[in-house]
């Protein structure tokens, strides 16, 4: 996703007076700007950096939902809605079949050796931000069994 498109989404949410969406997108923009400054890319923020930060924020929001006390339904609803909004900006992830095909093609020799660590290292290097790490791990376990 492009950073400018995200900024436009925040402006649209402000115009529509959608506070929850504005807050969710605003926190995404703040996190992206922080990472950009830390990595020394203030002006021209690359799309892969935006995607990486969005995925990190999704993970953080999932943890908030999981750790929120069940009796605090107001907070739980807010966290859940923010998570849904943020997931709408996430990059498209690879499906289980796509991951399996990628692993069979790129890591065939490692699968034959049943070296899970080497397969994971090779796969995560190329699939980071494109596929869920837990799903990759599950598929690697199945292929090495």
């Amino acid at each position: 996703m492009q950073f400018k498109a995200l900024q436009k989404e925040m402006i649209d949410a402000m115009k529509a007076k959608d506070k929850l969406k504005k807050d969710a997108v605003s926190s995404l923009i703040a996190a992206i700007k922080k990472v950009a400054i830390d990595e020394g890319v203030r002006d021209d923020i690359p799309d892969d950096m935006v995607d990486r930060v969005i995925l990190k924020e999704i993970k953080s929001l999932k943890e908030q939902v999981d750790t929120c006390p069940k009796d605090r339904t107001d907070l739980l609803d807010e966290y859940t809605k923010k998570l849904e909004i943020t997931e709408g900006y996430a990059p498209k992830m690879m499906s289980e079949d796509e991951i399996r095909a990628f692993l069979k093609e790129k890591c065939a020799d490692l699968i034959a050796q049943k070296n899970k660590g080497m397969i994971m290292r090779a796969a995560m290097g190329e699939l980071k931000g494109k596929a869920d790490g837990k799903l990759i791990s599950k598929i690697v376990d199945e292929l090495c069994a």
Side-chain angles (χ1 to χ4, degrees):
M1 164 153 263
Q2 292 183 331
F3 185 68
K4 296 227 184 282
L6 206 55
Q7 287 177 317
K8 185 182 179 319
E9 287 284 329
M10 186 176 77
I11 292 168
D12 291 345
M14 287 169 30
K15 286 179 181 176
K17 297 190 184 335
D18 187 349
K19 183 178 178 353
L20 193 61
K21 184 174 181 179
K22 183 203 74 95
D23 290 346
V25 176
S26 178
S27 67
L28 271 178
I29 289 173
I32 292 166
K33 283 182 178 180
K34 182 185 180 316
V35 170
I37 290 169
D38 290 347
E39 294 184 13
V41 189
R42 283 181 180 244
D43 297 327
D44 196 23
I45 299 173
D47 294 348
D48 64 320
M49 180 186 294
V50 173
D51 291 342
R52 189 176 69 219
V53 173
I54 290 172
L55 292 173
K56 186 176 179 183
E57 288 296 308
I58 288 172
K59 186 175 180 182
S60 174
L61 287 167
K62 283 181 181 177
E63 287 175 11
Q64 282 182 326
V65 169
D66 292 342
T67 59
C68 184
K70 299 300 177 203
D71 59 331
R72 293 294 309 269
T73 56
D74 57 329
L75 277 178
L76 196 57
D77 288 344
E78 181 183 336
Y79 293 155
T80 304
K81 288 176 183 168
K82 277 187 176 181
L83 177 61
E84 289 171 4
I85 291 167
T86 306
E87 284 177 335
Y89 299 110
K92 182 186 174 297
M93 301 300 259
M94 292 174 69
S95 70
E96 188 170 338
D97 294 333
E98 291 171 325
I99 296 169
R100 192 177 307 279
F102 173 85
L103 290 173
K104 286 180 180 177
E105 179 185 324
K106 299 283 185 180
C107 304
D109 54 332
L110 296 173
I111 292 171
Q113 297 172 10
K114 298 197 183 301
N115 189 338
K116 292 179 187 176
M118 293 295 288
I119 296 169
M120 285 300 293
R121 192 171 302 124
M124 291 307 291
E126 290 191 48
L127 298 180
K128 189 162 182 83
K130 298 177 186 170
D132 182 37
K134 290 179 184 176
L135 184 58
I136 295 171
S137 179
K138 179 184 148 214
I139 294 170
V140 167
D141 287 342
E142 289 173 9
L143 291 173
C144 290

